[in-house]
Amino acid sequence: MAPLSEASRTKFKKTLENGTQVYECVADFEWTVGVVTYGGYSLGLVVDAARQCQASTAHPDIIHLSSQFLRAATPGPMEIKISNVRTGNQFTNLAAELYQK
């Protein structure tokens, strides 16, 4: 099994016209329960993309996280879209979406 630090890496892909940043990754086949990736592992991929997105800003740390899973994620290619909802004096609110084909 690949170490979590390696299996949960995402890579910047592009910035869309509306400012949304797109990241890509491959969910490791070894971090699964049956044919479904662990929920915490899937969320870790989103967190990695969000941390990269915020790394060079005034608010680089994730203070609060809330998630909802509409479907179970499966191993394989994933795309994560991070958009800035609001930037205030002390916090930045982001929206993240994980996509699979």
Side-chain angles (χ1 to χ4, degrees):
M1 179 179 280
L4 184 59
S5 60
E6 292 177 20
S8 61
R9 289 190 183 144
T10 59
K11 180 181 174 185
F12 177 77
K13 184 176 180 181
K14 62 183 174 183
T15 301
L16 302 178
E17 289 181 17
N18 65 359
T20 298
Q21 292 189 15
V22 181
Y23 294 81
E24 60 187 358
C25 60
V26 177
D28 195 303
F29 288 87
E30 295 180 358
W31 284 90
T32 60
V33 176
V35 296
V36 177
T37 59
Y38 292 109
Y41 170 67
S42 299
L43 192 56
L45 293 167
V46 174
V47 167
D48 185 65
R51 289 180 66 197
Q52 287 184 56
C53 180
Q54 288 297 106
S56 62
T57 69
H59 307 129
D61 298 318
I62 296 174
I63 304 298
H64 175 78
L65 176 69
S66 177
S67 66
Q68 297 174 348
F69 293 91
L70 302 179
R71 287 187 200 101
T74 56
M78 294 183 169
E79 193 171 81
I80 301 166
K81 295 181 180 180
I82 308 287
S83 56
N84 186 323
V85 176
R86 179 182 174 275
T87 299
N89 292 330
Q90 296 180 343
F91 300 101
T92 297
N93 294 70
L94 302 176
E97 300 176 20
L98 186 147
Y99 293 93
Q100 286 190 292
K101 292 182 180 179

